[in-house]
Amino acid sequence: MSQGFFYPRTSTGRSSLLPAPPWFYSGDLLTVEYRTDPERVAALLPAPLELAPEDPGAVAFIWADWQSCSSSREELLDPIRSQYKEAFVVIRCSFEGRTYSRCAFIWVDKDFAMLRGIHQGYPKKLGSIHQTRPHALAQAAPQVATGGRFGATLAAGDRRLAEAVITLTEPSDTNGFVNGHPMAHHRVLPAIDSNGDAYAELVESGASDFEVGATYAATVDHFDLFQSPTEEIADLPVREIIGGYYRQVGVVWNGGRSLAALATDGPAETLAP
Amino acid sequence: MSQGFFYPRTSTGRSSLLPAPPWFYSGDLLTVEYRTDPERVAALLPAPLELAPEDPGAVAFIWADWQSCSSSREELLDPIRSQYKEAFVVIRCSFEGRTYSRCAFIWVDKDFAMLRGIHQGYPKKLGSIHQTRPHALAQAAPQVATGGRFGATLAAGDRRLAEAVITLTEPSDTNGFVNGHPMAHHRVLPAIDSNGDAYAELVESGASDFEVGATYAATVDHFDLFQSPTEEIADLPVREIIGGYYRQVGVVWNGGRSLAALATDGPAETLAP
Amino acid sequence: MSQGFFYPRTSTGRSSLLPAPPWFYSGDLLTVEYRTDPERVAALLPAPLELAPEDPGAVAFIWADWQSCSSSREELLDPIRSQYKEAFVVIRCSFEGRTYSRCAFIWVDKDFAMLRGIHQGYPKKLGSIHQTRPHALAQAAPQVATGGRFGATLAAGDRRLAEAVITLTEPSDTNGFVNGHPMAHHRVLPAIDSNGDAYAELVESGASDFEVGATYAATVDHFDLFQSPTEEIADLPVREIIGGYYRQVGVVWNGGRSLAALATDGPAETLAP
Amino acid sequence: MSQGFFYPRTSTGRSSLLPAPPWFYSGDLLTVEYRTDPERVAALLPAPLELAPEDPGAVAFIWADWQSCSSSREELLDPIRSQYKEAFVVIRCSFEGRTYSRCAFIWVDKDFAMLRGIHQGYPKKLGSIHQTRPHALAQAAPQVATGGRFGATLAAGDRRLAEAVITLTEPSDTNGFVNGHPMAHHRVLPAIDSNGDAYAELVESGASDFEVGATYAATVDHFDLFQSPTEEIADLPVREIIGGYYRQVGVVWNGGRSLAALATDGPAETLAP
């Protein structure tokens, strides 16, 4: 009997890179929301997804500094197994009359985070991600408070891809609106003979539990996206900054549900709900 | 229309982490073959696989120092995109009367290599892999020649997992026998609701073209596998060293074929060939 | 005119890896204090240093998760230039009747931290250092509060060298006593012809300003030092655990003073104070 | 008695990051030579150095992929301790009527290489360095032969700093001329009280033994230097490409000699030879 949630599977399951969900997260999110040309967002939405009806060109660029663990919490005491950072681009879309958030691009810095992405439909690559950390002592750190300044950078393939600087202005009830819906992601596995996909599915997922800590609105003092021959984020140019946010969160993720089985070489068929 | 062989897919396909096969490789392989207890190998063979009929406890521990590229060869000129190293454990198995090789555990050091593994059914994690490089000038390098000594190490999660030292003894026609068959791998995708697998398949793949360079047999001067709370390679203890090998190879990989659709919560059904 | 505090120096000083002091730090310290055999400590004390008169076998093993910057604070907004981690071994010694702390071994994970060590006399190597981070949301993090559990690990050369787990028990006025004195360090530069040292000096330094945040005493649930062919920390075996501590600090470092010019091939001569 | 060539020093010397010279190297060098404005080179020459009398604006940008070891050669069998890469900028200068090469900027990817730089006067930072590797099998590699194309890149601080592509044209007797002289480097140690230098010296060093392997001249198909807030290589703009080279070398380095004791806060005094 083979055990283990995902690769590698063995008779014990002990060496699986991923424990079974639920997965637990504590971390800080630094968000820049902006508007790009809606047709650029549309170009990132494969069938059966369509543009969101309102503010269709809105984008959220989010950095996150995470600690995560399984139900055993054992990863927290061997922290190379629990700490990771990520930077990701969120757009919105519409499916069967409902608005979803969707991760268009994402970089992480650990293998377990990358494999989680395969499961959740996040299109993960490895990157080098950094964001300023708040600290109780101010000698070399901002606080999560009005006036706190935070920087964030993303690189991959030895090229800097994005950078931001924000200054917190006042407490906020929200962390923006672009990443505020359930996520709609394509989960795919190309066919082993390279002839289309062996498996393709549209899934919905989101936090099964979500706790919000300190949240601030921020001015966006600096935000830049850079060209790279292997990336397309600079093809989502900034037409208008919407705003910046800083939020501390605690999250539980415990799976999602299938929205549609997608044809591997033709139009999608919608599953019965 | 969505393009890109694997994540992320966009309208251009430009940012896909993987180009479509064929994939091309040039590299050096350092192999240690040994025998462990056959029941330990059996414990790593999920249905419908069975132990190989001959020498069922044979294992190959292989280090590889690769450069790889797509048909465009553009990755070779931005070498952070083409160079990677890996270490992997190969066992053998039997399916429908035929003997296959099978990768039980594998570590790589780049994201594109990790995502290729998801496609090919290699159970990849990230690791830190090093092997001595030969060089034409001997001041700080062995040659691929009788008397050349090569070391190799593997670490993951900040723990050393394996290390070997071999000394080349004489030219050899083979690189051992454990990794000499087509590979039989499970390709799986857990269900998004965590209830079994959404997709599970047994595939066969191997090099579509394979060129052999210098090949030497070697004595195994040192070989050690270390305990780790997240790994199981030390559960394949060395009962007898079979031999060591060093080989330079050029490889083309261009997909494989499906051997069987596997039930996601029951016994496997064999596909019609 | 050449400018720049340390390498490289140019006409502008802009590319110097180190800005001139003062240097500012905010971070968290996880400390395990223990007793080893005093003769093992003595073996790490070169002339003119002698064993501390009281509790001469006391050792502090300290992990630190830092953010640091110069007076410009610009590094904080490009955080790859400000964040680093370190793990270090502190012993005590006596010089001219005064007790000093002394760093015997230290690993950091950034180049600017390594070069600072050359200036300050810390014998730095690169390592991989991790310690559990506290977070306001408890889903995947402890708090700096009674009951909080923190782990810490150190690796170098792809080998794990040390690991610890502590549980906070109660607020504390101190962070232990081993690292509580000014530091006495040898600053050396070997002669370019390999014949002894070109320069050798005993210096004293410490924080020019120091602010203490939350501080807790802790039980030491797990502490282990591992053998490595290139390290000697396992030669400071644990005879008795003294205690554990967790402390948040803000520090300013602004240089030190010379205690003695040391002979480069003979006994030390003491400078006039 | 304290032993160890450089930090850390202990009673055994076993954990010193550097063994005593001689140090042995085998590796491949990819060189781009070009002319910049001579006044930009002059700006990088502190007293007592002056511009070289002939072709004073010549610059060599060199990538190197090394394996190195001590006399024991033990590092070769634990290759994380012997393999490293570097990229460096070489200019020329004149001192007392003799022409020297001089490293203006350099990045390496290992701690032992960085500490060697402190000893040799190379102004080293950590970087991410990659260059295409030749391999006997051509599936994913060039050969060191006419027509072979090699790429090379440098990044630091998550920014790409330089990249080059060259195509080998014909065997060559030389590897260029800029890096062909003994090196003249400043070795400095800032004073612990930040008041000038505690030690400053001009040294000469070079290979004590040098073996040349395959050497080719090359066209420079692409060469670009990028801006960074922490670097100055883009201040050496390319006015004219001189040529490209690829060379395999074996080197022994066994110390150098002092050329001049430099005043730590005034003009240099020349040592008697």
Side-chain angles (χ1 to χ4, degrees):
Chain A
M1 179 60 190
S2 188
Q3 298 192 61
F5 183 71
F6 210 160
Y7 295 114
R9 290 179 174 168
T10 64
S11 58
T12 69
R14 185 162 63 90
S15 56
S16 175
L17 184 51
L18 295 186
W23 301 329
F24 301 83
Y25 305 74
S26 294
D28 284 28
L29 305 175
L30 186 161
T31 299
V32 174
E33 290 197 340
Y34 71 96
R35 290 188 181 90
T36 191
D37 307 324
E39 61 266 31
R40 300 299 183 99
V41 174
L44 292 171
L45 297 177
L49 303 178
E50 300 179 342
L51 274 179
E54 294 184 29
D55 214 344
V59 178
F61 205 111
I62 306 175
W63 279 265
D65 191 354
W66 290 118
Q67 212 160 239
S68 71
C69 64
S70 67
S71 299
S72 76
R73 299 181 77 76
E74 67 184 36
E75 298 88 351
L76 296 181
L77 300 182
D78 189 10
I80 193 173
R81 295 165 53 195
S82 63
Q83 295 172 347
Y84 73 104
K85 290 171 283 185
E86 64 187 3
F88 56 111
V89 177
V90 177
I91 54 179
R92 289 172 311 141
C93 59
S94 179
F95 175 68
E96 294 188 343
R98 189 171 174 193
T99 299
Y100 290 87
S101 300
R102 179 178 174 88
C103 178
F105 302 109
I106 181 167
W107 294 262
V108 297
D109 60 5
K110 285 283 172 67
D111 55 357
F112 61 82
M114 195 164 162
L115 194 60
R116 281 180 192 158
I118 300 294
H119 179 57
Q120 298 170 316
Y122 282 88
K124 291 184 176 178
K125 299 182 179 182
L126 292 180
S128 179
I129 300 111
H130 291 82
Q131 68 186 82
T132 312
R133 291 199 178 105
H135 195 268
L137 286 304
Q139 277 75 1
Q143 279 72 53
V144 183
T146 298
R149 292 195 87 196
F150 294 80
T153 63
L154 165 67
D158 273 356
R159 287 184 175 93
R160 188 163 287 200
L161 299 179
E163 56 188 29
V165 174
I166 68 172
T167 302
L168 310 197
T169 53
E170 58 192 342
S172 169
D173 288 336
T174 83
N175 192 35
F177 64 94
V178 179
N179 195 30
H181 309 273
M183 308 301 287
H185 285 163
H186 282 61
R187 299 206 314 160
V188 299
L189 189 64
I192 192 62
D193 63 3
S194 303
N195 188 14
D197 285 332
Y199 187 77
E201 175 189 27
L202 182 67
V203 301
E204 168 190 329
S205 85
S208 65
D209 191 46
F210 193 88
E211 186 179 359
V212 167
T215 307
Y216 278 75
T219 57
V220 177
D221 307 328
H222 172 71
F223 181 60
D224 214 346
L225 303 174
F226 302 101
Q227 294 286 349
S228 161
T230 61
E231 308 298 346
E232 298 178 61
I233 54 175
D235 295 340
L236 294 169
V238 179
R239 299 304 179 203
E240 179 188 6
I241 292 286
I242 298 173
Y245 298 93
Y246 196 92
R247 170 169 270 184
Q248 299 189 302
V249 298
V251 182
V252 183
W253 191 92
N254 196 14
R257 68 184 184 96
S258 193
L259 290 176
L262 302 176
T264 55
D265 54 0
E269 301 168 69
T270 300
L271 288 178
Chain B
M1 179 58 189
S2 188
Q3 299 192 59
F5 183 70
F6 210 159
Y7 295 114
R9 289 178 175 168
T10 65
S11 58
T12 69
R14 184 162 63 92
S15 56
S16 174
L17 184 51
L18 295 186
W23 301 329
F24 301 83
Y25 305 74
S26 294
D28 284 27
L29 305 175
L30 187 162
T31 301
V32 173
E33 289 198 340
Y34 71 96
R35 290 188 181 92
T36 191
D37 307 323
E39 61 267 30
R40 300 297 183 100
V41 173
L44 292 171
L45 297 178
L49 303 178
E50 299 179 342
L51 273 180
E54 295 184 28
D55 214 343
V59 178
F61 204 112
I62 306 175
W63 280 265
D65 191 354
W66 290 118
Q67 214 161 236
S68 71
C69 63
S70 67
S71 298
S72 76
R73 299 181 77 77
E74 68 185 34
E75 298 88 352
L76 296 182
L77 300 182
D78 189 9
I80 194 174
R81 296 164 54 195
S82 64
Q83 295 172 347
Y84 74 104
K85 289 170 283 184
E86 64 188 3
F88 55 112
V89 177
V90 177
I91 53 179
R92 290 172 311 142
C93 59
S94 179
F95 174 67
E96 294 188 343
R98 188 171 173 193
T99 299
Y100 289 87
S101 299
R102 179 178 174 87
C103 178
F105 302 108
I106 180 168
W107 295 261
V108 296
D109 59 6
K110 287 283 174 65
D111 55 357
F112 61 81
M114 195 165 160
L115 195 59
R116 282 180 192 157
I118 300 293
H119 179 56
Q120 299 171 315
Y122 282 87
K124 290 184 177 180
K125 300 182 178 181
L126 291 180
S128 179
I129 300 111
H130 291 81
Q131 68 185 83
T132 312
R133 290 198 179 107
H135 194 269
L137 286 304
Q139 276 76 358
Q143 279 73 51
V144 184
T146 297
R149 293 194 87 195
F150 294 80
T153 63
L154 164 67
D158 274 356
R159 288 184 176 91
R160 187 161 289 199
L161 300 179
E163 56 188 30
V165 175
I166 68 172
T167 302
L168 310 197
T169 52
E170 59 192 339
S172 168
D173 289 336
T174 84
N175 191 33
F177 64 94
V178 178
N179 195 31
H181 308 273
M183 308 301 288
H185 285 163
H186 282 61
R187 299 206 315 159
V188 299
L189 190 63
I192 191 62
D193 64 3
S194 303
N195 188 12
D197 286 331
Y199 187 78
E201 175 190 26
L202 182 68
V203 301
E204 169 189 328
S205 85
S208 66
D209 191 46
F210 194 89
E211 185 180 359
V212 168
T215 307
Y216 278 76
T219 55
V220 178
D221 307 328
H222 172 70
F223 181 59
D224 214 345
L225 303 174
F226 302 101
Q227 293 286 348
S228 162
T230 62
E231 308 298 347
E232 298 179 61
I233 53 174
D235 295 340
L236 295 169
V238 179
R239 298 305 178 202
E240 178 189 7
I241 293 287
I242 298 173
Y245 298 93
Y246 196 92
R247 169 170 272 184
Q248 298 189 303
V249 298
V251 180
V252 183
W253 190 91
N254 196 14
R257 67 186 185 94
S258 194
L259 291 176
L262 302 176
T264 55
D265 54 358
E269 301 168 70
T270 301
L271 288 177
Chain C
M1 179 59 190
S2 188
Q3 299 192 60
F5 183 71
F6 210 161
Y7 295 114
R9 289 178 174 169
T10 65
S11 58
T12 69
R14 184 162 63 91
S15 56
S16 175
L17 184 51
L18 295 186
W23 301 329
F24 302 83
Y25 305 74
S26 294
D28 284 27
L29 305 176
L30 187 160
T31 300
V32 174
E33 290 196 340
Y34 70 96
R35 290 188 181 91
T36 191
D37 307 324
E39 61 266 30
R40 301 297 183 101
V41 174
L44 293 171
L45 297 178
L49 303 177
E50 299 179 343
L51 274 180
E54 293 184 30
D55 215 344
V59 178
F61 204 112
I62 307 175
W63 279 265
D65 191 355
W66 291 117
Q67 213 160 239
S68 72
C69 64
S70 66
S71 297
S72 76
R73 298 181 77 77
E74 68 185 36
E75 298 87 351
L76 296 181
L77 300 181
D78 190 9
I80 193 175
R81 295 164 53 195
S82 63
Q83 295 171 348
Y84 73 103
K85 289 170 284 185
E86 64 188 3
F88 54 112
V89 177
V90 177
I91 54 179
R92 290 174 310 143
C93 59
S94 179
F95 174 68
E96 295 187 342
R98 190 171 172 192
T99 299
Y100 289 88
S101 299
R102 179 179 176 87
C103 178
F105 302 108
I106 181 167
W107 295 261
V108 297
D109 59 7
K110 286 282 173 68
D111 55 357
F112 61 81
M114 196 165 160
L115 195 59
R116 281 180 191 157
I118 300 293
H119 179 56
Q120 299 171 315
Y122 282 88
K124 290 184 177 179
K125 299 181 179 183
L126 291 180
S128 180
I129 300 112
H130 291 82
Q131 69 187 81
T132 312
R133 291 199 177 105
H135 195 268
L137 287 305
Q139 278 74 2
Q143 280 73 51
V144 183
T146 298
R149 292 194 88 196
F150 294 79
T153 62
L154 165 68
D158 273 356
R159 288 184 175 93
R160 187 162 288 200
L161 299 179
E163 57 187 30
V165 175
I166 68 172
T167 302
L168 310 197
T169 53
E170 59 193 340
S172 169
D173 289 336
T174 83
N175 192 33
F177 64 93
V178 178
N179 195 31
H181 309 274
M183 307 301 287
H185 285 163
H186 282 60
R187 299 206 315 159
V188 299
L189 189 63
I192 192 62
D193 64 2
S194 303
N195 187 13
D197 285 332
Y199 186 78
E201 176 189 25
L202 181 68
V203 300
E204 169 189 329
S205 86
S208 65
D209 192 46
F210 194 88
E211 187 181 357
V212 167
T215 307
Y216 278 76
T219 57
V220 178
D221 307 328
H222 172 71
F223 181 60
D224 214 345
L225 303 174
F226 302 101
Q227 294 286 349
S228 161
T230 61
E231 308 298 347
E232 298 178 61
I233 53 174
D235 295 340
L236 294 169
V238 179
R239 299 305 179 203
E240 178 188 6
I241 293 286
I242 299 173
Y245 298 93
Y246 195 92
R247 169 170 271 184
Q248 299 189 303
V249 297
V251 181
V252 183
W253 190 92
N254 195 14
R257 68 183 183 97
S258 194
L259 291 177
L262 301 177
T264 56
D265 55 359
E269 301 168 69
T270 300
L271 288 178
Chain D
M1 180 59 190
S2 189
Q3 299 192 58
F5 183 71
F6 210 160
Y7 293 113
R9 290 179 175 168
T10 64
S11 59
T12 69
R14 183 162 65 91
S15 57
S16 175
L17 184 50
L18 295 186
W23 301 330
F24 301 83
Y25 305 74
S26 295
D28 284 28
L29 304 175
L30 187 160
T31 300
V32 173
E33 290 198 339
Y34 72 95
R35 290 189 181 91
T36 192
D37 307 324
E39 61 268 29
R40 300 298 184 99
V41 174
L44 292 171
L45 297 178
L49 303 178
E50 300 179 343
L51 273 179
E54 293 184 29
D55 215 344
V59 178
F61 205 113
I62 306 175
W63 280 265
D65 191 355
W66 291 118
Q67 213 161 237
S68 72
C69 64
S70 66
S71 298
S72 76
R73 298 181 77 78
E74 67 184 36
E75 299 88 351
L76 296 181
L77 301 182
D78 189 9
I80 193 174
R81 296 165 54 195
S82 63
Q83 296 172 346
Y84 73 104
K85 290 171 283 185
E86 64 186 4
F88 55 112
V89 176
V90 177
I91 54 179
R92 289 173 311 142
C93 59
S94 180
F95 174 69
E96 295 188 341
R98 188 171 174 192
T99 299
Y100 289 87
S101 300
R102 179 177 173 88
C103 177
F105 302 108
I106 180 166
W107 295 261
V108 297
D109 59 6
K110 286 283 173 67
D111 54 358
F112 61 81
M114 195 165 161
L115 194 60
R116 280 180 192 158
I118 300 294
H119 179 57
Q120 299 171 315
Y122 282 87
K124 291 184 176 179
K125 298 182 178 181
L126 291 180
S128 179
I129 300 112
H130 290 82
Q131 68 186 80
T132 312
R133 290 200 178 104
H135 195 268
L137 286 305
Q139 277 76 0
Q143 279 73 51
V144 183
T146 298
R149 293 195 87 197
F150 294 80
T153 63
L154 165 67
D158 273 356
R159 288 183 175 93
R160 187 163 288 201
L161 299 179
E163 57 188 29
V165 175
I166 68 172
T167 302
L168 310 196
T169 52
E170 59 193 340
S172 169
D173 288 336
T174 84
N175 192 34
F177 64 94
V178 178
N179 195 30
H181 308 274
M183 307 301 287
H185 285 162
H186 282 61
R187 299 206 315 160
V188 299
L189 188 63
I192 191 62
D193 63 3
S194 302
N195 187 13
D197 286 331
Y199 187 78
E201 175 189 28
L202 181 67
V203 301
E204 169 189 328
S205 84
S208 66
D209 191 47
F210 194 88
E211 186 180 358
V212 168
T215 306
Y216 279 76
T219 56
V220 177
D221 306 329
H222 172 71
F223 182 59
D224 215 346
L225 303 174
F226 302 100
Q227 294 285 349
S228 162
T230 61
E231 308 298 346
E232 297 178 62
I233 53 174
D235 295 339
L236 295 169
V238 178
R239 298 305 178 202
E240 178 189 6
I241 292 285
I242 299 172
Y245 298 94
Y246 195 92
R247 169 170 272 185
Q248 298 189 303
V249 298
V251 181
V252 183
W253 190 91
N254 195 14
R257 68 186 183 96
S258 194
L259 291 176
L262 301 176
T264 57
D265 54 359
E269 301 168 69
T270 300
L271 288 179

